[in-house]
Amino acid sequence: MNETGTDFIRKTVEEDLASGKYSDGPVTRFPPEPNGYLHIGHAKSICLNFGIAAEYGGKCNLRFDDTNPGRESAEYVRSILRDVKWLGFDPGERVYFASDYFDDLYRFAVRLIKEGKAYVCGLSPDQIRETRGTLTRPGVESPDRNRPAEESLALFEKMKNGEFEEGRYVLRAKIDMASPNLCLRDPAIYRIRKAMHHRTGEKWCIFPMYDFAHPLSDAIEGITHSLCTLEFANNRPLYDWFVSNLTDEPRPKQIEFARLNMSYTVLSKRKLSRLVEEGRVEGWDDPRMPTIAGMRRRGIPPEAIRKFCDMIGIAKKDSLVDVALLEHVIRETLNRTAQRRMAVLRPLKMVIENYPENRSEELTAINNPEDPSAGTRNVPFSRVLYIEKDDFMENPPKKFFRLAPGREVRLRYAYIIKCQSVVKDDATGEITEIRCTYDPATRGGNAPDGRKIKATIHWVSASHAVRSEVRLYDRLFLKENPGAETQDGDFTDSINPNSLEKLSPCYLEPSLRHAAPGERFQFERLGYFCVDLKDSTSQNPVFNRTVTLRDSWAKISARSRRGA
Ligand code: ATP
Ligand code: MG
């Protein structure tokens, strides 16, 4: 059972099962159109559909809704399969394509024509739009509405045989031009499209519309519960019209739920593909993208995405989920699972004057304080180290407790050191090196005399360090709701120009030398990082920051609990 308890969809499924309607358990489907990469909104739908099938002993199909040649491709099919599996769901043999049903759908269309429930219409797309009417004004019937069935059949056959140009004719369902529901005003169900289809090639030049193909694909596959987002609520009567006119019981039931919207994020394939096409990101799998491929490259574990989808639950009303909640779940997951390492991202050289030139020693470091079974590792210490630039200040303000001239700090797992002097670049005045001494009696970090040391900082031994590039990511958008339509301009206006910072050289402790692509770590005091899946090599390691350590969500939720 999911964490938020039983939502309204699971309740419906339970009632239907209790009534004995579906003896083989529920059959759900996840129906992506292969015209882009999956994003975290799709993850919500995947978790819901595969989750229900697993919880109630049913099945879930992965069905590619490939009825729009031109915008769809085999690359997208491959990426979707990969992403669904990576998320933790395996459709096994149950991978289907709407294009597998083109013959059946064609026969369904012919049957509607023969039964007087569909006709070939010669109005242009503009004329069809203009005669559809409005919410307050009924539509105008097409002059072709009462075309004899034989004539429509002959025209439909010619449409299929490629005898007409695109847009010359469409096949329309004959329902009700005065219906208060605009979806029922003789919707188009087949149109001419002379484009190469990534699976059927040039076999077809007429393609079924989504509203026709979708319910009938559901019926063909024996789907029991067809879960979709709220914007399809108006299409439900049409869904039912096709299913009840063309198929026998038991019939699939469409249920709508609120789509996922997330702050500082756009979740629309159209918008995401614009970001890719306009070169605003480095591709669909750019770690700043809310795509599953982007999140994988960013270092987000699939279990964190599943947990997030579980926590946001399923509702009937649209809302905007705070991206800080996702970050919170990622931190919680990685805190339990990611091993700790030391890494210096903005290096400042430190020389320990009283440590012998050619000596080094191994110190013991804990891999994960949250998980004793993760054990320990050795970290080399020597005379020349790197520390983080902002862990030192020559003239520290009152509240700065880290290193400053004359002051002591603890080097994590190592010794207490004291800053004796700084070396500056003559020309720029910039600090290039700090000179320190260490207290040999404090190995491991504790002073035998019990003197108080306020700060512990991380460090890396210079001669042992792994040189690396580290990429820091920030939110891609500056506005909370970048997807909201505006009068002037569009969502790209609020792109954050500083969403990516590449740091190099960074210095990592040597145990990171053999980290595998995709492996995740906590860099102590800095955040969670992973080895980039694409650009990292053993000569030039590249790490991505998944998320910082500070959690703003804990504060946000505490505040909202107090009702502030
Ligand atoms: P987009 O708006 O991103 O183009 P779409 O609905 O056109 O999405 P599809 O490939 O048709 O993309 O979506 C496959 C399934 O995922 C559909 O059942 C759809 O309802 C669901 N889905 C898409 N976006 C979201 C979302 N933001 N939240 C929840 N479910 C979603
Ligand atoms: Mg869609």
Side-chain angles (χ1 to χ4, degrees):
M1 189 48 54
N2 72 330
E3 168 157 310
T4 45
T6 306
D7 54 68
F8 74 97
I9 294 183
R10 287 176 167 88
K11 279 206 180 82
T12 306
V13 170
E14 284 173 15
E15 283 160 19
D16 290 342
L17 291 176
S19 76
K21 254 193 209 162
Y22 309 109
S23 49
D24 295 334
V27 185
T28 54
R29 85 287 169 271
F30 171 65
E33 182 179 355
N35 63 347
Y37 279 58
L38 298 181
H39 54 62
I40 190 159
H42 295 114
K44 172 176 177 171
S45 176
I46 294 168
C47 290
L48 177 66
N49 282 292
F50 282 91
I52 285 180
E55 289 157 32
Y56 297 100
K59 298 181 178 71
C60 180
N61 296 352
L62 172 58
R63 183 202 315 138
F64 290 95
D65 172 23
D66 56 347
T67 53
N68 257 323
R71 298 190 315 180
E72 301 167 355
S73 78
E75 182 209 336
Y76 294 136
V77 170
R78 280 192 297 276
S79 76
I80 290 169
L81 272 168
R82 175 176 186 208
D83 290 348
V84 169
K85 287 185 188 160
W86 178 80
L87 248 194
F89 301 98
D90 187 1
E93 305 278 280
R94 307 184 73 85
V95 176
Y96 304 104
F97 292 82
S99 56
D100 291 341
Y101 313 135
F102 281 173
D103 287 307
D104 305 88
L105 295 171
Y106 182 77
R107 277 196 295 273
F108 279 133
V110 166
R111 192 174 133 200
L112 285 181
I113 299 173
K114 285 183 179 161
E115 292 174 3
K117 293 172 184 165
Y119 60 96
V120 170
C121 176
L123 293 181
S124 70
D126 280 344
Q127 288 170 318
I128 291 183
R129 210 171 306 120
E130 283 155 19
T131 53
R132 191 184 297 133
T134 64
L135 286 174
T136 50
R137 188 162 44 81
V140 178
E141 294 190 355
S142 162
D144 296 333
R145 198 169 199 261
N146 296 311
R147 192 193 287 285
E150 296 71 51
E151 212 178 294
S152 278
L153 278 177
L155 282 172
F156 191 46
E157 170 90 25
K158 286 186 175 172
M159 282 169 67
K160 184 179 93 143
N161 293 337
E163 292 178 36
F164 304 118
E165 288 313 300
E166 284 187 15
R168 176 67 190 85
Y169 286 109
V170 289
L171 182 67
R172 297 175 72 177
K174 189 170 176 178
I175 308 180
D176 180 2
M177 286 306 289
S179 169
N181 183 335
L182 270 67
C183 295
L184 296 178
R185 295 186 185 172
D186 292 9
I189 60 181
Y190 258 98
R191 58 176 176 158
I192 302 169
R193 273 297 264 119
K194 302 213 164 155
M196 185 70 148
H197 187 281
H198 64 102
R199 294 188 80 242
T200 60
E202 288 179 333
K203 177 177 173 197
W204 293 92
C205 62
I206 53 170
F207 290 91
M209 303 299 287
Y210 173 87
D211 277 335
F212 181 70
H214 192 75
L216 295 169
S217 302
D218 280 352
I220 290 167
E221 292 177 10
I223 301 300
T224 59
H225 297 83
S226 180
L227 314 177
C228 64
T229 42
L230 290 179
E231 64 272 22
F232 290 100
N234 281 334
N235 304 55
R236 183 167 7 116
L238 182 57
Y239 181 104
D240 292 339
W241 192 89
F242 287 127
V243 166
S244 58
N245 274 287
L246 290 164
T247 71
D248 302 318
E249 301 277 7
R251 294 183 178 131
K253 183 190 259 186
Q254 174 177 311
I255 309 174
E256 306 90 23
F257 64 96
R259 66 191 295 115
L260 170 65
N261 301 303
M262 199 160 66
S263 62
Y264 302 99
T265 310
V266 298
L267 292 182
S268 136
K269 271 188 284 191
R270 192 176 52 79
K271 288 179 179 153
L272 295 175
S273 56
R274 262 192 63 196
L275 294 175
V276 175
E277 278 155 22
E278 295 174 9
R280 313 237 183 202
V281 293
E282 283 163 21
W284 284 100
D285 63 353
D286 186 300
R288 292 165 292 180
M289 290 282 270
T291 52
I292 295 180
M295 294 190 289
R296 170 169 59 233
R297 228 184 125 185
R298 177 89 172 240
I300 300 173
E303 59 191 293
I305 300 174
R306 294 197 303 267
K307 178 87 195 293
F308 169 76
C309 291
D310 216 23
M311 282 175 79
I312 57 176
I314 301 297
K316 273 190 227 189
K317 206 170 149 281
D318 272 319
S319 65
L320 188 66
V321 173
D322 195 331
V323 68
L325 174 63
L326 174 62
E327 291 163 359
H328 169 77
V329 178
I330 297 167
R331 274 187 202 98
E332 270 201 332
T333 308
L334 291 173
N335 184 41
R336 278 188 289 106
T337 53
Q339 294 211 355
R340 275 52 169 173
R341 293 292 183 268
M342 289 200 284
V344 173
L345 303 192
R346 293 177 176 90
L348 174 60
K349 187 173 167 190
M350 170 189 275
V351 177
I352 312 283
E353 292 176 326
N354 59 340
Y355 198 88
E357 293 265 5
N358 36 33
R359 196 165 105 198
S360 74
E361 63 188 294
E362 299 277 322
L363 298 161
T364 305
I366 293 167
N367 282 333
N368 186 350
E370 303 289 320
D371 175 11
S373 75
T376 60
R377 69 187 185 284
N378 287 339
V379 182
F381 183 86
S382 65
R383 179 180 160 90
V384 182
L385 312 173
Y386 289 113
I387 65 162
E388 213 64 64
K389 247 187 199 135
D390 59 9
D391 278 337
F392 176 81
M393 281 186 96
E394 193 178 15
N395 300 299
K398 250 203 161 117
K399 292 236 160 113
F400 186 87
F401 299 118
R402 290 166 276 164
L403 198 59
R407 216 187 259 177
E408 284 191 316
V409 293
R410 179 183 297 108
L411 294 181
R412 178 86 160 138
Y413 296 122
Y415 294 98
I416 294 170
I417 54 127
K418 184 172 190 175
C419 174
Q420 303 294 352
S421 61
V422 301
V423 179
K424 290 184 185 176
D425 182 304
D426 285 340
T428 64
E430 204 192 325
I431 297 172
T432 54
E433 186 178 311
I434 51 176
R435 313 283 300 186
C436 300
T437 50
Y438 85 116
D439 179 350
T442 58
R443 193 173 198 270
N446 289 318
D449 61 358
R451 69 184 187 275
K452 272 263 179 315
I453 303 296
K454 281 213 166 115
T456 300
I457 65 174
H458 62 274
W459 53 275
V460 168
S461 165
S463 61
H464 300 88
V466 180
R467 267 175 82 109
S468 154
E469 175 182 327
V470 174
R471 298 173 183 172
L472 306 182
Y473 300 100
D474 199 352
R475 291 171 184 175
L476 193 49
F477 292 96
L478 296 168
K479 277 210 314 222
E480 187 177 27
N481 194 355
E485 301 302 330
T486 51
Q487 293 281 288
D488 38 24
D490 73 355
F491 74 102
T492 55
D493 299 341
S494 66
I495 287 181
N496 176 4
N498 304 313
S499 60
L500 169 59
E501 191 181 355
K502 294 186 176 182
L503 301 176
S504 175
C506 305
Y507 294 101
L508 319 177
E509 64 166 83
S511 69
L512 286 165
R513 181 161 282 121
H514 302 294
E519 216 179 325
R520 307 178 182 97
F521 300 94
Q522 183 194 97
F523 289 174
E524 292 209 23
R525 301 176 63 229
L526 297 174
Y528 293 97
F529 293 77
C530 82
V531 184
D532 189 69
L533 286 165
K534 247 185 170 166
D535 298 340
S536 194
T537 63
S538 48
Q539 277 73 42
N540 294 298
V542 178
F543 280 76
N544 296 324
R545 184 173 70 195
T546 311
V547 68
T548 54
L549 287 179
R550 205 171 46 90
D551 190 347
S552 53
W553 176 254
K555 269 185 248 150
I556 295 167
S557 56
R559 221 185 302 133
S560 63
R561 266 201 305 278
R562 287 196 308 269

